[in-house]
Amino acid sequence: MTRTTDFLFGVRHHVSITGTVFNDSNANGKKDGLELTEAVTLTAYRADGTGLAGTTTPSLFGSYNLGGLPYDTDIYVGLSGTTKTPSARFSGTVPAALADVTLIGSYRLSGDGTASTIGQNLGLATVTAPTATVGAVSATGSATLTLANTTSAVVNVAYSVNGGPSTGSTIPAKSILNAAGTRTVTLTDLVPGANTVTVDWSTGAYTGTTLTVEVVRG
């Protein structure tokens, strides 16, 4: 048996990543019966930015197969061709060469193992970021932060001031009459000058881009 750098010749297949990419119309993170698949581009990379393989996922029906991938290698998969938010996102340290890529995950299979296939389904949903409005800063260094949600699902938030401890909360879904759901919290310990408030948010399986708000205390 001859061993190459990627697979056991004549014995094992290359690594493949397979699954379904679908339009998650109700943003619940699961493919429901009437939700169709969606055509996007998935590309597998090495950490140095070298492309390993790419595929266009099928529209309407079917699954994808991103194949020909090596063992014993950190494989990063990037998503392009959509403006929707993916249900899976890579949460580790992003290699510098892939800083501009929307990564949905990183995978690695050992050449000494028995597995050759990795499953990765991916929902795509249109989610709307909450808005953040800051009230006047008091003489003691506190202010209100009002978060508004215009989607039909509860939004989870975690906010912090100047990189300090994060506080979790939720924003109610919009009402049946389409009035935005709101949550007002109090920011404390604002320092003189500019303060940076960051708000991380998510809706179900979908994590949005961090909101950043500047609060100036005179």
Side-chain angles (χ1 to χ4, degrees), residues 190-209:
L190 298 171
V191 300
N195 294 263
T196 301
V197 180
T198 56
V199 182
D200 293 313
W201 62 278
S202 63
T203 303
Y206 298 90
T207 301
T209 304

mmCIF file of all heavy atoms in Angstrom, residues 190-209:
data_model
loop_
_atom_site.group_PDB
_atom_site.id
_atom_site.type_symbol
_atom_site.label_atom_id
_atom_site.label_comp_id
_atom_site.label_asym_id
_atom_site.label_seq_id
_atom_site.Cartn_x
_atom_site.Cartn_y
_atom_site.Cartn_z
ATOM 1 N N LEU A 190 -19.861 55.027 32.067
ATOM 2 C CA LEU A 190 -19.336 55.689 30.869
ATOM 3 C C LEU A 190 -18.243 56.666 31.287
ATOM 4 O O LEU A 190 -18.418 57.446 32.225
ATOM 5 C CB LEU A 190 -20.455 56.425 30.129
ATOM 6 C CG LEU A 190 -21.606 55.535 29.607
ATOM 7 C CD1 LEU A 190 -22.740 56.396 29.088
ATOM 8 C CD2 LEU A 190 -21.099 54.595 28.529
ATOM 9 N N VAL A 191 -17.120 56.629 30.602
ATOM 10 C CA VAL A 191 -15.994 57.492 30.964
ATOM 11 C C VAL A 191 -16.101 58.813 30.219
ATOM 12 O O VAL A 191 -16.779 58.913 29.195
ATOM 13 C CB VAL A 191 -14.658 56.812 30.636
ATOM 14 C CG1 VAL A 191 -14.529 55.501 31.395
ATOM 15 C CG2 VAL A 191 -14.527 56.560 29.132
ATOM 16 N N PRO A 192 -15.456 59.876 30.714
ATOM 17 C CA PRO A 192 -15.457 61.148 29.979
ATOM 18 C C PRO A 192 -14.866 60.951 28.575
ATOM 19 O O PRO A 192 -13.905 60.211 28.390
ATOM 20 C CB PRO A 192 -14.565 62.047 30.835
ATOM 21 C CG PRO A 192 -14.676 61.471 32.212
ATOM 22 C CD PRO A 192 -14.764 59.990 32.005
ATOM 23 N N GLY A 193 -15.470 61.612 27.590
ATOM 24 C CA GLY A 193 -15.025 61.466 26.209
ATOM 25 C C GLY A 193 -15.807 60.374 25.493
ATOM 26 O O GLY A 193 -16.951 60.075 25.839
ATOM 27 N N ALA A 194 -15.177 59.764 24.498
ATOM 28 C CA ALA A 194 -15.857 58.771 23.664
ATOM 29 C C ALA A 194 -15.878 57.396 24.326
ATOM 30 O O ALA A 194 -14.873 56.949 24.883
ATOM 31 C CB ALA A 194 -15.165 58.678 22.310
ATOM 32 N N ASN A 195 -17.028 56.756 24.273
ATOM 33 C CA ASN A 195 -17.204 55.392 24.757
ATOM 34 C C ASN A 195 -17.704 54.529 23.596
ATOM 35 O O ASN A 195 -18.510 54.981 22.779
ATOM 36 C CB ASN A 195 -18.236 55.339 25.883
ATOM 37 C CG ASN A 195 -17.778 56.058 27.131
ATOM 38 O OD1 ASN A 195 -17.269 55.455 28.056
ATOM 39 N ND2 ASN A 195 -17.956 57.387 27.154
ATOM 40 N N THR A 196 -17.226 53.295 23.536
ATOM 41 C CA THR A 196 -17.652 52.383 22.474
ATOM 42 C C THR A 196 -18.551 51.301 23.047
ATOM 43 O O THR A 196 -18.152 50.563 23.955
ATOM 44 C CB THR A 196 -16.439 51.723 21.785
ATOM 45 O OG1 THR A 196 -15.600 52.745 21.233
ATOM 46 C CG2 THR A 196 -16.893 50.790 20.677
ATOM 47 N N VAL A 197 -19.763 51.232 22.521
ATOM 48 C CA VAL A 197 -20.720 50.200 22.926
ATOM 49 C C VAL A 197 -20.838 49.200 21.777
ATOM 50 O O VAL A 197 -21.100 49.584 20.638
ATOM 51 C CB VAL A 197 -22.104 50.802 23.237
ATOM 52 C CG1 VAL A 197 -23.088 49.703 23.645
ATOM 53 C CG2 VAL A 197 -21.992 51.866 24.315
ATOM 54 N N THR A 198 -20.607 47.925 22.075
ATOM 55 C CA THR A 198 -20.759 46.891 21.051
ATOM 56 C C THR A 198 -21.950 46.015 21.395
ATOM 57 O O THR A 198 -22.195 45.701 22.569
ATOM 58 C CB THR A 198 -19.500 46.015 20.933
ATOM 59 O OG1 THR A 198 -19.188 45.455 22.209
ATOM 60 C CG2 THR A 198 -18.320 46.840 20.452
ATOM 61 N N VAL A 199 -22.691 45.638 20.374
ATOM 62 C CA VAL A 199 -23.879 44.801 20.551
ATOM 63 C C VAL A 199 -23.770 43.610 19.604
ATOM 64 O O VAL A 199 -23.807 43.773 18.380
ATOM 65 C CB VAL A 199 -25.177 45.586 20.258
ATOM 66 C CG1 VAL A 199 -26.403 44.692 20.499
ATOM 67 C CG2 VAL A 199 -25.260 46.854 21.096
ATOM 68 N N ASP A 200 -23.589 42.421 20.169
ATOM 69 C CA ASP A 200 -23.628 41.197 19.371
ATOM 70 C C ASP A 200 -25.055 40.671 19.392
ATOM 71 O O ASP A 200 -25.717 40.707 20.432
ATOM 72 C CB ASP A 200 -22.675 40.147 19.948
ATOM 73 C CG ASP A 200 -21.217 40.559 19.809
ATOM 74 O OD1 ASP A 200 -20.834 40.999 18.716
ATOM 75 O OD2 ASP A 200 -20.474 40.454 20.803
ATOM 76 N N TRP A 201 -25.530 40.183 18.268
ATOM 77 C CA TRP A 201 -26.922 39.762 18.212
ATOM 78 C C TRP A 201 -27.083 38.517 17.340
ATOM 79 O O TRP A 201 -26.263 38.230 16.470
ATOM 80 C CB TRP A 201 -27.806 40.893 17.682
ATOM 81 C CG TRP A 201 -27.476 41.316 16.270
ATOM 82 C CD1 TRP A 201 -26.484 42.172 15.878
ATOM 83 C CD2 TRP A 201 -28.133 40.882 15.077
ATOM 84 N NE1 TRP A 201 -26.482 42.289 14.501
ATOM 85 C CE2 TRP A 201 -27.487 41.517 13.995
ATOM 86 C CE3 TRP A 201 -29.198 40.027 14.827
ATOM 87 C CZ2 TRP A 201 -27.878 41.312 12.670
ATOM 88 C CZ3 TRP A 201 -29.590 39.816 13.507
ATOM 89 C CH2 TRP A 201 -28.926 40.465 12.454
ATOM 90 N N SER A 202 -28.162 37.796 17.601
ATOM 91 C CA SER A 202 -28.458 36.604 16.821
ATOM 92 C C SER A 202 -29.961 36.355 16.836
ATOM 93 O O SER A 202 -30.671 36.777 17.750
ATOM 94 C CB SER A 202 -27.719 35.382 17.383
ATOM 95 O OG SER A 202 -28.165 35.101 18.700
ATOM 96 N N THR A 203 -30.422 35.671 15.789
ATOM 97 C CA THR A 203 -31.818 35.244 15.697
ATOM 98 C C THR A 203 -31.800 33.753 15.423
ATOM 99 O O THR A 203 -31.429 33.336 14.325
ATOM 100 C CB THR A 203 -32.559 35.973 14.560
ATOM 101 O OG1 THR A 203 -32.475 37.370 14.764
ATOM 102 C CG2 THR A 203 -34.012 35.559 14.492
ATOM 103 N N GLY A 204 -32.130 32.952 16.418
ATOM 104 C CA GLY A 204 -32.054 31.512 16.229
ATOM 105 C C GLY A 204 -30.638 31.094 15.880
ATOM 106 O O GLY A 204 -29.692 31.394 16.587
ATOM 107 N N ALA A 205 -30.479 30.433 14.714
ATOM 108 C CA ALA A 205 -29.168 29.966 14.289
ATOM 109 C C ALA A 205 -28.365 31.032 13.560
ATOM 110 O O ALA A 205 -27.230 30.791 13.164
ATOM 111 C CB ALA A 205 -29.335 28.759 13.362
ATOM 112 N N TYR A 206 -28.927 32.210 13.413
ATOM 113 C CA TYR A 206 -28.314 33.228 12.560
ATOM 114 C C TYR A 206 -27.678 34.340 13.386
ATOM 115 O O TYR A 206 -28.360 35.015 14.161
ATOM 116 C CB TYR A 206 -29.356 33.800 11.598
ATOM 117 C CG TYR A 206 -29.883 32.717 10.698
ATOM 118 C CD1 TYR A 206 -30.994 31.962 11.061
ATOM 119 C CD2 TYR A 206 -29.220 32.386 9.528
ATOM 120 C CE1 TYR A 206 -31.437 30.920 10.264
ATOM 121 C CE2 TYR A 206 -29.652 31.349 8.723
ATOM 122 C CZ TYR A 206 -30.763 30.621 9.092
ATOM 123 O OH TYR A 206 -31.191 29.581 8.306
ATOM 124 N N THR A 207 -26.378 34.510 13.219
ATOM 125 C CA THR A 207 -25.621 35.509 13.959
ATOM 126 C C THR A 207 -25.294 36.678 13.045
ATOM 127 O O THR A 207 -24.704 36.484 11.972
ATOM 128 C CB THR A 207 -24.311 34.903 14.509
ATOM 129 O OG1 THR A 207 -24.640 33.807 15.357
ATOM 130 C CG2 THR A 207 -23.522 35.939 15.292
ATOM 131 N N GLY A 208 -25.675 37.865 13.467
ATOM 132 C CA GLY A 208 -25.441 39.040 12.646
ATOM 133 C C GLY A 208 -24.109 39.703 12.937
ATOM 134 O O GLY A 208 -23.377 39.328 13.861
ATOM 135 N N THR A 209 -23.799 40.716 12.151
ATOM 136 C CA THR A 209 -22.570 41.472 12.336
ATOM 137 C C THR A 209 -22.697 42.375 13.560
ATOM 138 O O THR A 209 -23.742 42.983 13.794
ATOM 139 C CB THR A 209 -22.297 42.345 11.091
ATOM 140 O OG1 THR A 209 -22.252 41.491 9.942
ATOM 141 C CG2 THR A 209 -20.982 43.074 11.210
#
